[in-house]
Amino acid sequence: MRRRIAAGNWKMNMGLEASAELARKVKDFTGSNARSVDIVVCPTFLSLADVAEELEGSGIAVGAQDCYHGSQGAFTGEVNPELIKDAGGAYCIVGHSERRTLMQEADKEVNLKAKALIGAGIVPIICVGETLAERQALDTMNVVRGQVMRAYAGIAPEDAAGTVIAYEPVWAIGTGLNATADDAEAVCKAIRDVIRYIYDGPTADSVRILYGGSVKADNISGLMSEKDIDGALVGGASLKAAEFGKIVQAIAGKCSDEA
Ligand code: PGA
């Protein structure tokens, strides 16, 4: 059985003090679930080391929101996987739609970043998802399948098995709109089928697939009742510890129900 993940993407929010404070609260609200579900919070690079220190020993992991694929050297302004690891990061989001749209990040870079993270022993959370125009043009499956194929180019099966994919329809991020559980499941299942096509059954069965896009305490349960959804990548609602705590509880609940 795949271990579920509840990941919070804090985006470009909060300074050092507020991040440490939120980390403490997340520990209070979710700590007891850390045994049954992987809990990850992704603060800004600046706060990552402090948040990691705050959460040490809690079972809650820390992740970055992006990275650069190069080895240490002359890459002004960038942060590579080794540095993230050194600061206490165990996960890293790559290819988030905000980066794809605002920073023109392309599939090629997503692929390079994923490979660099795997090389450093950090779990990449690879984001894919269609825009509203693509959904309306009935192009969702093509777009998402293409993003997955290109993200995994040249990644070995044994490495792919430990990665995480977040299906985040662009139109659902930060908008309050979210995919119905059935729609989200259809895409997550298609993603798992692509992994099976590229690799094999065991790899497809190991990769964890999250849904993201306006996940809240009151819509998570429906999503978690779906077979191919292994957790959630949560933006806005992860900034409120009590709300995030309820989401983690619902994700963990699925585990104990099935155990
Ligand atoms: P949201 O963001 O939950 O605020 O929609 C999700 C994400 O961008 O990862």
Side-chain angles (χ1 to χ4, degrees):
M1 199 180 95
R2 290 181 295 273
R3 194 171 154 86
R4 311 292 187 241
I5 306 183
N9 175 6
W10 292 0
K11 307 195 179 183
M12 198 175 75
N13 288 296
M14 298 176 296
L16 298 181
E17 195 46 52
S19 299
E21 173 71 19
L22 180 58
R24 279 192 288 277
K25 287 192 186 152
V26 167
K27 197 160 50 174
D28 291 345
F29 279 99
T30 68
S32 60
N33 291 120
R35 255 172 280 114
S36 46
V37 62
D38 286 346
I39 306 169
V40 187
V41 294
C42 302
T44 66
F45 281 133
L46 281 178
S47 303
L48 199 147
D50 283 357
V51 168
E53 198 180 314
E54 201 64 61
L55 295 176
E56 209 181 323
S58 66
I60 302 171
V62 179
Q65 301 171 14
D66 183 39
C67 69
Y68 184 66
H69 66 270
S71 324
Q72 285 190 46
F75 300 105
T76 304
E78 297 296 330
V79 175
N80 78 353
E82 295 295 343
L83 297 174
I84 293 169
K85 195 170 169 181
D86 189 51
Y91 291 78
C92 181
I93 298 169
V94 281
H96 189 280
S97 71
E98 282 149 19
R99 297 204 59 83
R100 290 181 190 259
T101 319
L102 301 171
M103 285 81 181
Q104 287 78 45
E105 199 164 297
D107 288 332
K108 178 74 197 152
E109 288 161 280
V110 175
N111 173 248
L112 290 171
K113 290 175 184 197
K115 285 179 181 158
L117 288 163
I118 291 167
I122 295 185
V123 178
I125 301 176
I126 300 168
C127 300
V128 296
E130 81 287 2
T131 62
L132 184 57
E134 288 162 342
R135 172 156 286 258
Q136 285 168 341
L138 306 180
D139 221 9
T140 299
M141 296 300 188
N142 275 339
V143 167
V144 171
R145 283 189 189 115
Q147 288 172 332
V148 173
M149 298 279 287
R150 290 185 288 275
Y152 281 85
I155 296 179
E158 61 274 19
D159 291 331
T163 59
V164 177
I165 299 174
Y167 166 56
E168 300 203 304
V170 178
W171 49 269
I173 295 177
T175 56
L177 300 171
N178 72 344
T180 64
D182 284 354
D183 284 348
E185 167 62 17
V187 182
C188 291
K189 181 180 179 307
I191 291 171
R192 203 175 298 288
D193 289 343
V194 178
I195 297 293
R196 188 173 295 107
Y197 170 80
I198 308 174
Y199 299 103
D200 48 33
T203 308
D205 290 340
S206 308
V207 168
R208 292 178 291 175
I209 303 176
L210 315 181
Y211 170 80
S214 298
V215 169
K216 307 246 162 19
D218 61 11
N219 59 28
I220 184 65
S221 299
L223 291 158
M224 290 315 299
S225 64
E226 301 291 345
K227 186 168 154 287
D228 288 290
I229 302 179
D230 302 315
L233 179 56
V234 187
S238 73
L239 299 174
K240 295 171 239 155
E243 171 98 5
F244 188 59
K246 285 185 198 156
I247 293 170
V248 172
Q249 179 66 52
I251 295 174
K254 182 178 181 185
C255 307
S256 40
D257 288 352
E258 283 182 3

